[in-house]
Amino acid sequence: MESQTETIKMDIGPSLPFPMERKVHIQISGRQLIKTKLRKSCSCTTKRLKNVVMDFFPVLRWLPKYHCREYIWGDVMSGVVIGIILVPQAIAYSLLAGLKPIYSLYTSFFANIIYFLMGTSRHVSVGIFSLLSLMVGQVVDRELLLAGFDLNDEDDANSNSYDWNSNNSNVTAFNLTLGGLSTECGKDCYAIGVATALTFLAGVYQVLMGVFRLGFVSMYLSESVLDGFATGASLTILTAQVKYLIGIKIPRSQGHGIFLTTWINIFQNISQANVCDVITSVVCIAVLVAAKELGDRYKQKLKIPLPTELVVIVVATLVSHYGKLNEVYASSVSGAIPTGFIPPQLPNFNMMHRVALDAVPLAIVGFAFTISLSEMFAKKYAYTVRANQEMFAIGFCNIIPSFFHCFATSAALAKTLVKSSTGCQTQVSSVISAAVVLLVLLFLAPLFYSLQKCVLACIIIVSLRGALRKFRDVPQRYHMNKVDTLVWCVTVFSSALISTEMGLLIGVLFSMLCIIIRTQRPRTALLGQIQSTAFYEDDWEYESLRPVPNAKIFRFEAPLYYANKDFFLKSLYRMTGLDPTLEAAKRKKNEKKQKEHLKEGNRGTIVKGSDQADTALHLVPKQVDFQTIIIDCSSITFLDTAGIVTLKEIVKDYNELKITVLLACCNPSVIDSLKRGDYFGKDCKKMHELLFYSIHGAVQFTRDRKFLADGSAV
């Protein structure tokens, strides 16, 4: 094998040669590679410029090829349905973000337009998302507290806190200096300033991740981590909405452990519950859940989903308005929602250093959900998406709207499922949805003045059904994979009991720790031969395997590196029943004792017959039933320096006991590592004696060598 060729002869049938020649690859220097890439990237031709623009705005590629007759009906239908769903959800999710409903409507409008221009997925619905709204709301609440605002001070429903053109706002004005930032605006003004600064930074992070091609970061958010994070955050969202359901005023908890703190405050103030809000909540939840269940049961027969949220909001608003629930029963209502658009404004750059760290999980979670949904639906409908462009798209869906008083957005599963089920073909449906939201913004927003907040809380809680139902899947998940279930549980409870951001971090770290532990203590096995074949399998798992005479075949199912080298050695010694270091020490000790006994015999020491026999038996070295160890390296994906040293040491230790160690089924990268570590000696002279491309080749080599040794002995 000096020329890296091995001929394998089979036990059965004729001899079949399998030459294995390594290809010679041309090595390109790093400097030359960088020059080539820079030359390619920096070249500016008309064709390249056109491709860059069209790649950045994918709409320029697909819109000219739009099949109007084939696509328009499905796009219009799905766009109208999503627009109808967006309006009540936007108003409801404003409670999570701690902002006024108008800002949620702005967010829904701009996100749909920008993703239409820049997105590569045909079906994803981008807009407000409950988890991101919660994360934004937690940062907003924290900064409001630090600025000296009272989180429990609810603005009067009749106050017009949106009067952005007036110098005499009805809200209390604060003149504070925070880190060089002078604030002369009310609570709502300060809150949206925090939200836009946070959103702008999250978008910048996402764009930078796209520029430096850091999309791989989302790979560390496994399905178990994302599901656990969503479920844990859903528990926090539900907890935050209970006070609106029953109409009580409790302190807004901050920091870690808000889940438990909020529930304690709820039970302490349960006697102050507003009967009107409780009755309204019970009725709304009953109607919404019943409609959802009917929709799920008859979704095959229904061409479009039931617009239950919109119907509930319209009916509840009419009842609240004509029943004067706010005036008579002190039921909390949404208040004035103005029409039109607020003049654009730069995000508060002086605030950004305060929220820079908070924007990191926001950016990662937003991108992870967007790209996972994009790839899921692209696979379902047989087209491709570009992960890097998706990162740019969702980044600019945050950057540009932050100038228009919007907060963070991403793709949302529930709306995307509705969108695909109602016939969506392209992102033209997003433009239709934006038009529906625009209609509300320009004309219909003031009609929601009397809408009770408990109704919005009901919509949010019912929308969490999918995430909360995942608790029912725990037994099935546990049966499928115990480690993934443990990761899911740790992420759920850390997200709920500590905080959402810490829950995500803990989930990722715990998931990576599980992978490390699994590689530190991987599965090991001794192999036996499948009768009448050239294949070998685990003799612990399979019956009727034939042991290989004079050889032990050991499989290690993980990379061999510094963290698991000790486990590798212990497993090898345990499964072969021979620790070469201890055995060598015993043999040396026995040899020493034997020499001492010989000296005593020469002096004429008389030993009784039985004692002499026992002494002779004690001095005989341990006999082993094998002369060769074959290590199956098919599952060893890489070796580090510690792994190479470990293999060299076991070869040396076993050779002292006249036992040969052979390697089989090594991949090319492992072979290259062994060569660089001089495992095969100088100029790889011993390679043909130590390395085989199959287990059967190593077994045949062992048998042939023993046959030759026996023949020479005769």
Side-chain angles (χ1 to χ4, degrees):
M1 280 194 20
E2 292 179 10
S3 60
Q4 299 187 25
T5 305
E6 179 195 357
T7 302
I8 302 173
K9 294 185 178 181
M10 311 293 287
D11 265 4
I12 52 175
S15 296
L16 300 174
F18 293 99
M20 298 290 290
E21 294 283 352
R22 288 289 295 274
K23 291 182 178 180
V24 178
H25 298 284
I26 300 173
Q27 296 292 332
I28 302 175
S29 66
R31 187 176 180 181
Q32 186 179 354
L33 186 64
I34 292 173
K35 281 184 177 180
T36 304
K37 288 190 174 182
L38 284 175
R39 192 181 298 114
K40 184 178 179 181
S41 301
C42 298
S43 61
C44 186
T45 62
T46 305
K47 183 178 179 181
R48 176 167 177 76
L49 184 62
K50 179 182 177 182
N51 287 334
V52 167
V53 173
M54 295 184 79
D55 285 343
F56 197 71
F57 296 103
V59 66
L60 299 177
R61 290 189 185 276
W62 62 262
L63 191 58
K65 303 174 184 177
Y66 187 79
H67 302 292
C68 189
R69 291 184 179 179
E70 185 178 349
Y71 295 161
I72 192 65
W73 172 248
D75 284 340
V76 170
M77 177 63 69
S78 63
V80 170
V81 171
I82 292 298
I84 291 171
I85 293 173
L86 272 176
V87 172
Q89 279 196 352
I91 298 172
Y93 288 170
S94 63
L95 295 179
L96 292 175
L99 303 169
K100 292 295 182 179
I102 190 69
Y103 302 128
S104 299
L105 293 171
Y106 291 157
T107 302
S108 299
F109 173 76
F110 285 107
N112 276 283
I113 294 295
I114 295 169
Y115 192 81
F116 162 75
L117 298 172
M118 301 186 66
T120 59
S121 173
R122 302 175 192 171
H123 298 87
V124 160
S125 177
V126 173
I128 52 174
F129 184 33
S130 58
L131 298 186
L132 297 189
S133 299
L134 175 68
M135 295 170 75
V136 170
Q138 290 176 339
V139 177
V140 167
D141 287 350
R142 185 194 69 205
E143 293 302 321
L144 286 175
L145 277 176
L146 292 174
F149 292 94
D150 184 6
L151 295 182
N152 304 308
D153 181 24
E154 297 286 345
D155 294 328
D156 189 89
N158 297 319
S159 67
N160 183 10
S161 53
Y162 298 95
D163 188 9
W164 50 80
N165 292 321
S166 172
N167 293 325
N168 299 318
S169 176
N170 291 330
V171 296
T172 306
F174 285 76
N175 190 352
L176 301 170
T177 302
L178 262 172
L181 170 63
S182 178
T183 63
E184 286 191 6
C185 64
K187 176 182 170 184
D188 297 329
C189 167
Y190 196 85
I192 191 60
V194 173
T196 54
L198 179 66
T199 301
F200 179 84
L201 271 182
V204 169
Y205 291 159
Q206 288 167 335
V207 170
L208 289 176
M209 288 168 70
V211 169
F212 294 107
R213 301 185 180 277
L214 299 179
F216 68 88
V217 173
S218 66
M219 292 189 297
Y220 294 102
L221 300 176
S222 65
E223 183 181 353
S224 298
V225 171
L226 283 176
D227 277 353
F229 174 69
T231 306
S234 297
L235 292 174
T236 305
I237 292 170
L238 185 149
T239 300
Q241 301 309 303
V242 172
K243 67 176 185 178
Y244 297 111
L245 286 182
I246 59 179
I248 61 175
K249 292 184 179 181
I250 59 174
R252 296 277 287 274
S253 303
Q254 276 294 304
H256 300 325
I258 60 175
F259 179 84
L260 295 176
T261 306
T262 303
W263 277 108
I264 291 171
N265 289 329
I266 288 171
F267 285 114
Q268 287 177 345
N269 295 274
I270 195 72
S271 59
Q272 302 173 11
N274 187 303
V275 177
C276 178
D277 285 344
V278 172
I279 294 173
T280 304
S281 299
V282 170
V283 173
C284 289
I285 289 178
V287 172
L288 288 168
V289 171
K292 293 289 183 184
E293 292 295 331
L294 288 173
D296 292 343
R297 182 173 298 181
Y298 299 106
K299 62 182 177 181
Q300 301 296 335
K301 297 180 180 180
L302 294 172
K303 294 185 178 180
I304 61 172
L306 299 172
T308 316
E309 291 91 346
L310 186 63
V311 172
V312 166
I313 279 185
V314 171
V315 173
T317 302
L318 292 174
V319 171
S320 176
H321 176 72
Y322 289 107
K324 297 183 179 180
L325 302 184
N326 177 242
E327 294 85 352
V328 177
Y329 300 102
S331 180
S332 181
V333 297
S334 299
I337 304 178
T339 57
F341 287 91
I342 303 175
Q345 185 178 351
L346 286 173
N348 198 330
F349 292 101
N350 292 324
M351 175 67 67
M352 289 182 185
H353 71 281
R354 302 176 61 84
V355 297
L357 286 178
D358 301 295
V360 174
L362 199 68
I364 294 174
V365 171
F367 166 70
F369 275 99
T370 301
I371 191 59
S372 61
L373 285 178
S374 299
E375 290 178 346
M376 181 175 74
F377 282 89
K379 183 178 180 180
K380 181 178 179 180
Y381 291 98
Y383 63 91
T384 58
V385 294
R386 289 184 286 124
N388 221 48
Q389 180 59 28
E390 286 296 298
M391 198 176 294
F392 284 130
I394 200 64
F396 282 102
C397 279
N398 286 322
I399 291 176
I400 297 174
S402 67
F403 290 83
F404 295 90
H405 309 275
C406 302
F407 56 92
T409 59
S410 76
L413 176 61
K415 291 192 287 289
T416 302
L417 287 172
V418 172
K419 196 171 184 178
S420 64
S421 66
T422 50
C424 173
Q425 299 292 333
T426 67
Q427 283 298 329
V428 169
S429 61
S430 295
V431 179
I432 306 299
S433 299
V436 175
V437 176
L438 181 63
L439 182 67
V440 175
L441 278 169
L442 295 180
F443 305 107
L444 304 178
L447 300 178
F448 298 106
Y449 175 92
S450 299
L451 178 61
Q452 293 167 271
K453 288 185 178 180
C454 65
V455 177
L456 300 177
C458 292
I459 292 173
I460 292 173
I461 289 174
V462 173
S463 71
L464 301 175
R465 279 189 326 142
L468 297 176
R469 275 180 171 175
K470 293 187 182 295
F471 282 105
R472 297 192 310 187
D473 300 333
V474 171
Q476 181 183 355
R477 189 187 291 268
Y478 182 80
H479 177 73
M480 187 180 300
N481 192 299
K482 296 178 178 61
V483 175
D484 283 349
T485 307
L486 185 60
V487 170
W488 184 85
C489 291
V490 168
T491 309
V492 167
F493 292 113
S494 56
S495 298
L497 300 178
I498 303 176
S499 70
T500 51
E501 293 85 356
M502 285 299 297
L504 181 65
L505 178 62
I506 290 171
V508 171
L509 293 178
F510 186 75
S511 178
M512 295 174 69
L513 180 64
C514 288
I515 295 173
I516 293 171
I517 292 174
R518 290 166 83 173
T519 59
Q520 278 186 302
R521 301 185 66 83
R523 200 170 175 279
T524 56
L526 279 182
L527 307 186
Q529 185 177 17
I530 302 174
Q531 294 186 12
S532 303
T533 71
F535 303 104
Y536 300 79
E537 258 306 338
D538 185 353
D539 62 2
W540 177 262
E541 296 291 341
Y542 296 95
E543 299 283 353
S544 304
L545 295 182
R546 188 177 71 181
V548 178
N550 302 310
K552 298 283 188 181
I553 306 173
F554 175 72
R555 175 187 289 166
F556 188 74
E557 300 180 0
L560 181 55
Y561 67 113
Y562 69 93
N564 64 10
K565 63 182 180 64
D566 292 334
F567 182 76
F568 173 84
L569 291 174
K570 289 178 182 177
S571 300
L572 178 63
Y573 299 160
R574 175 174 52 83
M575 303 197 82
T576 58
L578 181 65
D579 184 334
T581 307
L582 294 178
E583 183 64 22
K586 287 180 182 178
R587 291 188 181 188
K588 287 180 181 178
K589 186 177 180 181
N590 290 338
E591 287 175 3
K592 185 178 179 181
K593 286 185 178 181
Q594 193 171 15
K595 288 180 181 179
E596 291 176 355
H597 280 280
L598 288 173
K599 287 181 181 179
E600 291 176 0
N602 293 333
R603 291 173 188 167
T605 304
I606 301 173
V607 182
K608 294 182 179 180
S610 61
D611 292 341
Q612 190 174 6
D614 292 341
T615 304
L617 183 65
H618 179 71
L619 295 177
V620 173
K622 179 182 178 180
Q623 298 296 319
V624 293
D625 60 349
F626 61 94
Q627 284 78 45
T628 305
I629 293 176
I630 301 171
I631 300 177
D632 177 10
C633 301
S634 58
S635 300
I636 299 178
T637 53
F638 68 86
L639 296 170
D640 68 350
T641 304
I644 297 171
V645 171
T646 300
L647 289 176
K648 291 172 74 173
E649 286 178 352
I650 64 172
V651 169
K652 178 185 174 183
D653 292 342
Y654 278 111
N655 282 346
E656 290 179 357
L657 304 179
K658 307 289 193 247
I659 295 175
T660 305
V661 177
L662 307 178
L663 303 182
C665 304
C666 295
N667 64 51
S669 67
V670 170
I671 294 173
D672 292 339
S673 297
L674 293 170
K675 285 181 180 178
R676 289 192 295 268
D678 292 330
Y679 180 84
F680 304 112
K682 190 176 181 180
D683 299 326
C684 299
K685 290 182 179 179
K686 296 182 180 179
M687 191 171 180
H688 67 288
E689 297 177 355
L690 299 176
L691 178 67
F692 297 85
Y693 289 98
S694 70
I695 297 175
H696 196 64
V699 172
Q700 288 285 74
F701 176 81
T702 302
R703 288 173 179 170
D704 293 345
R705 187 178 59 179
K706 188 175 187 307
F707 177 77
L708 291 174
D710 292 344
S712 62
V714 173

